[in-house]
Amino acid sequence: MQVTEPSIWQDIEEVKHAVAEVLAHAKQLGASSAEASMSRTKGLSVETRHGEVETVEFNQDGGLGISLYFGQRKGSASTADLSHEALRRTVEAAADIARYTSEDPHTGIAEASWLEMSPADLDLYYPDSIGTDEAIRLCAGAEEAAFATDQRITNSEGASFSSHTGLKVYGNSHGQLVGYPSSRHSFSCVVIGEDGDDMQRDYSFSVARQYSQLLDPKQIGREAALETVARLNARQIATQKVPVIFRADIASSLFGHLVSAISGGSIYRKSSFLMDKVGKQIMAQGITVQEQPHILRGLASSPFDGEGVKTRDLTVIDQGVLSTYLTTSYSARKLGMASTGHAGGIHNWLVSHGDENLQQLCRTMGKGLLVTELMGQGVNTVTGDYSRGAAGFWVEHGEIQFPVAEVTIAGNLADMFMQMVAVANDVDRRGGVLTGSVLISQMQVAGN
């Protein structure tokens, strides 16, 4: 486990003290309850293009948000000025706002029994000290590797490196006062390829809690180049209904639509195509989705959510059956549930998968479209209607035949979820949804 330097814990204690003062001031103003969160981040971002420095940014930011409750009336305010006087004024502003709000029987801080009072250390903090010169060298190295990979790589949109650390503290009038530090390092490269009159662009990236876990710059550059040249001389295809594979790096978007559709806010507003579906099958029988918030060094790990509610392992989809909606304290009260700890988002979704790799999944599909890029926002989670621009590769006889561009894929999420016939083992671990490539048995593809 990473041994963190004492200063970060001193910073956390300092921030805890400020949050405690804010909550005490709220009580002095007569608030029946209150909650406050405070964050600090600092880091370095570097961008290069053709090896020349485009941008170097150092940032050190912070902010506090507070909500006061006078019975069932709520007032909220926030500030980026963390001076003592500014924090007091922010509390007073929230109190003034509360006087003009209507009563809401479902408002208030989370129930005491839901809270995480002693958060575990999830090993999220790796403050590797990366200097500007080193970051520039990394970016330039990725671009050089891309140009060296294939002579059809003719231009670069740049490489970027980011290294940030921060802390988060949350407290409320139940006596909860908790916090933890975290870090995130990322690296990407975007290049342009040409072949005759055709021009395409693509990229590669890496992200991790630990700098040492990022991919090598040469690998990032090479992957960006190979992705780009593979797309050259793309064709359209005829309009037809065929199986579609969502490659792992974009398959997570399908589960992102699921998150929206089963969020408590969507459910109590009756604005989801998955209304009244808990306990019912909404996905193919072989699909199981588990949330594991406490994975050490996980990119979406967290011991508590944005309201201090303890996070816990949760089966969201069990062999295709929806097990739960995702609630905050407010939506939970609206729905007559307990909070599931989802104020602020999800925490490490693990999608079950089979033993096939992507190449084998293409063979299983036989003939169809392998989608590697999605464009547009044509998704309606009220009705489930789905229509997006796409690019990728045409597959026949289980083998990639040629790149495809300028097509639209369409369907309905309810049908698409039920038609997820297989998930490959090429799990993309660079985000909050860990899934392999997903094969959907049939979608409408609109081409020429």
Side-chain angles (χ1 to χ4, degrees), residues 10 18 23 48 68 79 107 117 125 142 145 153 173 183 197 209 220 237 259 350 358 398:
Q10 293 169 1
L23 293 172
T48 69
L68 273 63
T79 179
T107 199
M117 307 302 281
Y125 184 65
I153 300 299
S173 50
S183 60
D197 294 331
R209 294 288 187 185
I220 291 284
I237 53 176
V259 172
L350 279 64
L358 178 57

Side-chain angles (χ1 to χ4, degrees), residues 111-322:
E111 308 300 320
S113 61
W114 300 346
L115 301 178
E116 177 57 84
M117 307 302 281
S118 301
D121 181 358
L122 302 182
D123 203 20
L124 305 179
Y125 184 65
Y126 283 79
D128 298 86
S129 181
I130 311 303
T132 305
D133 290 343
E134 174 69 3
I136 293 170
R137 184 189 67 78
L138 292 170
C139 291
E143 289 187 284
E144 289 174 6
F147 283 112
T149 297
D150 194 295
Q151 62 183 5
R152 289 171 291 179
I153 300 299
T154 58
N155 208 339
S156 170
E157 288 194 1
S160 63
F161 174 83
S162 172
S163 177
H164 285 80
T165 60
L167 61 86
K168 171 184 176 182
V169 169
Y170 173 87
N172 61 34
S173 50
H174 284 314
Q176 183 184 30
L177 189 57
V178 290
Y180 63 90
S182 63
S183 60
R184 182 176 293 254
H185 311 279
S186 63
F187 189 25
S188 66
C189 182
V190 186
V191 294
I192 297 169
E194 293 183 69
D195 189 357
D197 294 331
D198 190 34
M199 181 181 296
Q200 297 288 343
R201 65 182 287 280
D202 216 318
Y203 67 97
S204 180
F205 76 98
S206 180
V207 58
R209 294 288 187 185
Q210 296 170 264
Y211 166 71
S212 62
Q213 296 301 306
L214 292 177
L215 293 181
D216 179 84
K218 291 183 178 180
Q219 186 175 351
I220 291 284
R222 177 174 171 79
E223 286 183 0
L226 293 175
E227 291 284 336
T228 299
V229 297
R231 297 179 59 165
L232 288 169
N233 301 308
R235 313 178 202 173
Q236 278 193 318
I237 53 176
T239 296
Q240 56 194 295
K241 288 186 176 181
V242 291
V244 171
I245 293 174
F246 287 73
R247 197 173 66 179
D249 53 330
I250 62 166
S252 58
S253 67
L254 294 172
F255 297 95
H257 302 316
L258 173 64
V259 172
S260 298
I262 64 173
S263 69
S266 296
I267 299 302
Y268 79 70
R269 294 186 184 96
K270 301 186 185 301
S271 58
S272 170
F273 72 99
L274 293 177
M275 290 289 301
D276 303 317
K277 294 295 186 181
V278 171
K280 298 179 181 178
Q281 186 172 357
I282 66 163
M283 285 189 164
Q285 189 172 0
I287 304 296
T288 292
V289 179
Q290 294 181 316
E291 181 170 81
Q292 297 184 10
H294 302 156
I295 295 173
L296 297 182
R297 297 176 295 282
L299 290 174
S301 293
S302 179
F304 54 86
D305 76 352
E307 297 177 316
V309 175
K310 65 182 70 174
T311 54
R312 57 188 174 86
D313 288 355
L314 185 69
T315 299
V316 181
I317 304 290
D318 186 4
Q319 292 297 312
V321 175
L322 178 63

